[in-house]
Amino acid sequence: MSKVTRRNVLQSGAFLAAGSVLFKPASASAALFSASAAKAEASELIPPVPEIDLSPREHLLFDFDWRFFQGNAVDPEKDLNFGADQGDFAKTGDFHFATPKFDDAQWRSLSLPHDWAVELPFVYDRTLTSHGFKPLGRKYPETSVGWYRRTFLVPKEDEGRRIHVTFDGVFRSSLVFCNGTFIGRNDSGYAPFTFDLTDFLNFGEPNVIVVRVDASYGDGWFYEGAGIYRHVWLTKVDPLHIGQWTTVVRTDVQAGAATLSLSTTVENTGSTQESCRVHWEIFDAEGKSVASAESPATEVAVDSEQSFSAKAKIAHPAIWSLEHPNLYYAVATIETNGKTRDRDRVTFGVRTLAWDLEKGFLLNGAKTPIQGTCNHQDHAGVGAAVPDRLQAFRMEVLKGMGCNAIRTSHNLPTPELIEACDRLGILVLCETRIMSSSNEGLAQLSTMIRRFRNHPSIFLWSMGNEEWALQQDAAGPHVIHAMQQRSHELDPTRLCTAAVNGSYDKPLAPCLDVMGFNYNLSQIDKYRKEHPQQFLVGTETASAVFTRGIYTTDKLRNWVSSYNVVYPDTSMDFGQAWWNFYSQRPWLSGGFAWTGFDYRGEPSPYGWPSVSSQFGIVDTCGFPKDAYFHYKAWWDNKPLLHLFPHWNWPGREGEEILVQVESNLDSVELFLNGKSLGSQKVVPQYHLEWKVNYIPGTLEARGTKDGKVVLTETRRTTGAPARIVLTADRNEISADGEDIAIIRIEAVDKDGLSVPTADAFIRFKVSGEGALIGVGNGDPNCQESDKKPERSLFNGLAQVIVQASKKPGALVIEATSRRLEPATLTITTREVKLRPRVLSLSRS
């Protein structure tokens, strides 16, 4: 495929892009945890990635057995005496805290990923509002610096190999030391970075790596966490090896067959020139070889790199789609004189992308409206340090309502999120953190594209979000031109957009491959008329600003009613206005609601004591709000009937209660205690409502399709909470030190009915083969600890996240509360093959 230019896009009228790539076989979501009467949607677990030998390369997880110390941003005596004078960096090898002799016995033991911000107390300071009232920043030096230390062994037999450490994400400014030596620094809170440790290692002896993390400055205006909050890896390779993120697979689908354009870059860090070739093997999801290719032998000079390429063909490929996210694996092998020197693996999918000026976005030739949500990266209980399984769980919740795309607002995502989207069949608008053509801006953009360009889920690159100055200034078009040019050089198969929220009459917006609208529905038709040759998408469209389980707006309690209301300002919209608007314009490619999940920081529409936003369609735990079912009715193709509110209104007998129904059936009839309150026809993309005088009992909705009742929903008046119920997303997890179970906590009455208004304070005890790593309840105003083994129910629900140890057995969760019958849940932790990991030294 030729390099994308604005000219050839306009001339074609539709941009056709071949499929792309990454990692783990086809999916099916696990159980969806839903609130109220929504049923869990069970499905099979995602099958494991087939085992493919990558030796002699070793890619080792470096997450376990770290030590942590809370430093100080201004006082050297409280910061390991770092910076006590200006001579710290004068000599190589002088940093005592990064040598084996340093005593870290008083440091805290932990495993990565880790976010120390979520462990901090909430502090009322208006300057902390957007970051969720956590004490980070120049004003809070005592809690803005953290030190991480790890002692590890590199075997003697590894001498002669190159040893690299890769950090997937550290927030924020990090200094890395190894064996007393300063190795390097990184100042992005989201971009991965790699250092070569080889020359500083003690082979066969103890080694020490230390990372000083300073979160005094932020990258964004939302909760960002603090610490090494993503995975760390140690990679061992031959001096003749494949360059990081240089293996690329591009697919061209013609007449039922897929031609694969394969390329990679070989680096020679050895002492002699080498002649080598690259062999590619293609495997399907079951690990069966389906194609192969080979490049001619080529010389690679010392301290240089050489590109290799080849072609392969899959005769009848399994296409990657939203319904069937089929994946393939490509293994590139360097060979010299019959000897394997290095291997690399990427996962890819076979699919086509297209943009049409009249039909919008097309996937595999079919018009595919983007039914998307924007999302930040934090979750209740764990902050930004989200375990891999939780990444998948969050995507399963969104896919459960018919969401088919996410926008990684507003930063490079963690790889495990993109892998989950690959496996589940969810499209990704992948966004870089800063809109800039500076060296740093282009470096972050380049890293994002190199890292993720093989993923089939990614369909569009975003150059940034709501850059008010650049949207108006003369510099804007120059910046966008440079960023798009770099994007097209690295990936000619995808177009670029940016989230623009104004200044549509200025030069920046028309420069984009795909114009991205944030809100401003009233401007879109005018813009389309003035720019008929530009593709359009809604990068940020509307918000479901509601408090889960609340049906009366109360400004004193910072609550927002969950009733579906069409606001005059369509940016604050349940979903009716914006989706109606977009769905009536086929040239608009759909859009992304703000947001899928509630998130920490930006407490909207209120401030303190709110500590999280209320923009989400689900809360910070993933419990759906009523808005979830509006989207599900019109984004999912399954029959749906959702009735709200609950029917517990003591003291309001005889008062009028607004009852609403979300449904995609033909009509709905409402009953109270068996008496009909009338039937209404469903108008597409709108809700139904009745005004009902409250009488305790049973409220029932009956949904009709083609004259037959096909669904019923009830809301019953419950008794007082009587006992606790614990339900896990999975009752068996892997004993690998990484896997988690997500526990739903609720209170039921004596008849087993879930009490939707329960607010009991629950205490937890976790024993056996695992530990509690976080708690939450979705209350935007709750300031209880995310880490203590206790949590109050919020409108009947709370969540506990537990993580398995590496030993198989039983993980037991006990829940108790005053005046409630306790509950116990046992999770089985099964023995599995552990991911390759860095060896630790035993401590005396």
Side-chain angles (χ1 to χ4, degrees), residues 183-202:
I183 301 298
R185 71 179 298 150
N186 183 72
D187 289 315
S188 166
Y190 300 99
F193 56 98
T194 298
F195 294 122
D196 189 334
L197 302 180
T198 310
D199 295 345
F200 309 100
L201 293 175
N202 303 313

Side-chain angles (χ1 to χ4, degrees), residues 791-802:
R791 196 68 166 190
S792 58
L793 299 178
F794 177 63
N795 290 326
L797 296 173
Q799 185 176 86
V800 168
I801 303 172
V802 294

Side-chain angles (χ1 to χ4, degrees), residues 428-577:
V428 178
L429 169 52
C430 198
E431 186 161 282
T432 191
R433 173 71 289 277
I434 55 174
M435 183 186 288
S436 178
S437 55
S438 66
N439 288 342
E440 178 64 23
L442 290 178
Q444 290 189 25
L445 175 67
S446 299
T447 296
M448 178 180 77
I449 294 174
R450 287 191 179 102
R451 182 81 185 249
F452 295 128
R453 58 189 165 184
N454 286 319
H455 288 265
S457 58
I458 295 176
F459 77 107
L460 188 62
W461 303 115
S462 173
M463 304 295 97
N465 175 73
E466 294 183 354
E467 293 288 348
W468 304 306
L470 289 178
Q471 288 172 184
Q472 303 177 56
D473 293 350
H478 299 292
V479 170
I480 286 298
H481 173 76
M483 294 183 76
Q484 290 190 150
Q485 184 177 38
R486 176 66 59 86
S487 301
H488 297 155
E489 288 170 356
L490 294 172
D491 177 22
T493 73
R494 296 177 182 89
L495 294 182
C496 302
T497 188
V500 181
N501 68 333
S503 303
Y504 302 120
D505 58 340
K506 302 296 182 180
L508 183 145
C511 292
L512 295 164
D513 295 337
V514 180
M515 171 56 192
F517 281 95
N518 277 19
Y519 312 105
N520 292 295
L521 296 188
S522 62
Q523 300 295 313
I524 295 178
D525 287 340
K526 178 184 177 184
Y527 188 91
R528 160 75 170 180
K529 185 176 181 180
E530 294 172 350
H531 304 279
Q533 296 299 304
Q534 192 176 17
F535 309 123
L536 308 177
V537 70
T539 41
E540 197 169 312
T541 56
S543 296
V545 187
F546 310 105
T547 312
R548 176 183 56 78
I550 294 297
Y551 299 96
T552 301
T553 295
D554 187 336
K555 294 182 179 180
L556 291 178
R557 297 185 179 184
N558 287 11
W559 288 347
V560 185
S561 170
S562 290
Y563 283 121
N564 187 339
V565 177
V566 179
Y567 290 87
D569 174 7
T570 53
S571 67
M572 309 292 283
D573 172 54
F574 207 111
Q576 292 180 176

Side-chain angles (χ1 to χ4, degrees), residues 613-728:
S613 82
Q614 303 193 48
F615 288 127
I617 299 169
V618 304
D619 68 19
T620 54
C621 293
F623 296 132
K625 303 178 186 180
D626 294 292
Y628 183 95
F629 301 97
H630 175 84
Y631 282 100
K632 185 174 176 64
W634 305 110
W635 281 4
D636 199 1
N637 57 12
K638 302 184 185 76
L640 179 127
L641 182 64
H642 175 67
L643 171 66
F644 61 105
H646 57 74
W647 209 237
N648 278 26
W649 301 102
R652 296 187 60 182
E653 287 78 6
E655 288 187 28
E656 195 171 78
I657 303 293
L658 179 63
V659 174
Q660 294 189 340
V661 168
E662 299 289 350
S663 183
N664 53 14
L665 301 175
D666 294 339
S667 64
V668 177
E669 187 173 6
L670 188 68
F671 295 82
L672 177 59
N673 296 329
K675 180 180 178 181
S676 176
L677 302 180
S679 177
Q680 297 185 36
K681 290 184 178 180
V682 174
V683 177
Q685 299 181 25
Y686 286 88
H687 68 277
L688 306 176
E689 61 181 49
W690 290 258
K691 292 181 179 179
V692 181
N693 292 328
Y694 177 63
I695 302 173
T698 301
L699 191 69
E700 181 180 17
R702 299 175 186 173
T704 301
K705 183 75 173 178
D706 299 327
K708 296 181 180 179
V709 174
V710 294
L711 289 176
T712 61
E713 278 277 297
T714 60
R715 298 289 177 264
R716 293 187 176 91
T717 306
T718 73
R723 60 186 177 89
I724 303 168
V725 173
L726 308 178
T727 309

Side-chain angles (χ1 to χ4, degrees), residues 3 10 42 51 58 100 179 200 245 285 325 419 498 507 524 635 741 812:
K3 185 168 67 177
L10 292 178
E51 289 193 22
E58 292 184 73
N179 291 336
F200 309 100
W245 307 324
E419 291 166 12
I524 295 178
W635 281 4
V812 181

Side-chain angles (χ1 to χ4, degrees), residues 101 108 261 393 487 646 700 775 798:
K101 294 181 179 180
R108 172 184 161 197
S261 297
F393 172 83
S487 301
H646 57 74
E700 181 180 17
V775 296

